[in-house]
Amino acid sequence: MSTKQELELVIEKSDQVLEHTIKQADPEFYRALSNVLHDYIVITNPRKQIAFRKDLRGLIRLMAETVNQAKPVRTFSTGELARIFGVSVQAINKWIDEGRFLGYKREGNHRHNRIPETVSFVMRTGEVLPLEGVVAMYEHQLQEQQVDDAVDHRDAVLDEISRLMKKHGGTYEMTLGAKTERTAQEERDASIWLALLDELRDMNEAK
């Protein structure tokens, strides 16, 4: 990320260099560069409300301010995207080759490729969405699934404890836990029961 001093230097020098050389020597290029830089700022930072300015100096100042305020761009490895989307790494590589990550191409060793969140992603429906939004949507779904799985597992533990209580006619402390001598089957049940109670206790403490 650029330092504050570097941003100030760019603003200061651009005033001197652009105004006194490019603008005078090639006004057509100066206007074209102004338009391109304006479009780039609008495309890369759509949330920023700016008036259409032809003044290149003002645009460079605005670009420096935008860079200074911008948050670091998050990037994803193919492995991370595979986990988020619930597919294989091979599937992510195939999607890259198919052009579903617009403007992104694999380079060198596939394992070291990082896909920035700023690229657009083509959904199976053909809809084009920012990768940042698609990842957020999938991560939210993944979190909800993990919560559902935890609830299902807790229910399964409670069901098994209930089965053992019915089988032996009460709680562990009232039945197997109170016995000084137990059969081989009761020993197995006691071991399972204690493990389930410990697991239930850990789940309750994790809430």
Side-chain angles (χ1 to χ4, degrees):
M1 183 68 71
S2 306
T3 65
K4 184 177 180 181
Q5 290 74 18
E6 288 173 332
L7 296 175
E8 291 174 349
L9 179 63
V10 168
I11 293 171
E12 177 187 351
K13 293 299 181 181
S14 64
D15 283 348
Q16 301 171 12
V17 176
L18 297 171
E19 187 70 14
H20 300 296
T21 56
I22 297 178
K23 187 173 184 180
Q24 295 178 6
D26 195 341
E28 184 178 356
F29 173 74
Y30 183 89
R31 286 193 300 273
L33 184 57
S34 298
N35 291 339
V36 170
L37 183 54
H38 172 275
D39 292 345
Y40 179 78
I41 294 173
V42 170
I43 292 172
T44 56
N45 196 8
R47 299 185 187 89
K48 197 171 189 69
Q49 299 296 322
I50 63 173
F52 188 86
R53 285 190 269 179
K54 298 283 184 126
D55 179 26
L56 190 55
R57 289 179 302 169
L59 288 170
I60 288 177
R61 178 177 293 276
L62 180 59
M63 180 181 66
E65 292 172 354
T66 301
V67 169
N68 190 41
Q69 297 168 2
K71 65 176 183 179
V73 175
R74 184 182 178 187
T75 61
F76 305 94
S77 68
T78 52
E80 288 171 327
L81 288 179
R83 177 187 58 79
I84 292 169
F85 290 143
V87 298
S88 66
V89 172
Q90 290 75 15
I92 297 296
N93 286 328
K94 182 181 178 184
W95 292 354
I96 295 173
D97 294 339
E98 290 174 347
R100 292 184 64 183
F101 296 92
L102 296 182
Y104 182 82
K105 294 185 181 299
R106 287 191 285 171
E107 298 177 3
N109 191 324
H110 300 168
R111 290 174 299 177
H112 299 301
N113 278 224
R114 307 287 303 185
I115 303 174
E117 65 180 357
T118 51
V119 305
S120 295
F121 179 70
V122 182
M123 305 289 286
R124 293 190 183 279
T125 60
E127 185 179 7
V128 178
L129 298 173
L131 180 60
E132 178 184 16
V134 177
V135 166
M137 178 178 66
Y138 272 85
E139 285 183 329
H140 179 68
Q141 291 176 350
L142 187 61
Q143 289 174 354
E144 287 187 335
Q145 182 61 50
Q146 289 172 342
V147 170
D148 290 342
D149 290 345
V151 170
D152 290 343
H153 181 64
R154 178 185 174 84
D155 288 344
V157 170
L158 289 171
D159 287 345
E160 185 61 18
I161 291 174
S162 178
R163 185 189 68 80
L164 288 168
M165 289 177 66
K166 289 178 181 178
K167 178 180 179 180
H168 294 282
T171 64
Y172 175 80
E173 290 77 9
M174 293 169 55
T175 59
L176 298 184
K179 284 190 172 185
T180 55
E181 294 185 6
R182 295 188 291 229
T183 66
Q185 181 60 55
E186 287 176 336
E187 286 289 353
R188 285 194 291 272
D189 283 354
S191 177
I192 293 171
W193 204 338
L194 286 174
L196 290 169
L197 290 171
D198 285 343
E199 189 171 1
L200 182 61
R201 188 180 304 110
D202 289 342
M203 286 189 286
N204 289 335
E205 291 175 353
K207 283 187 175 181

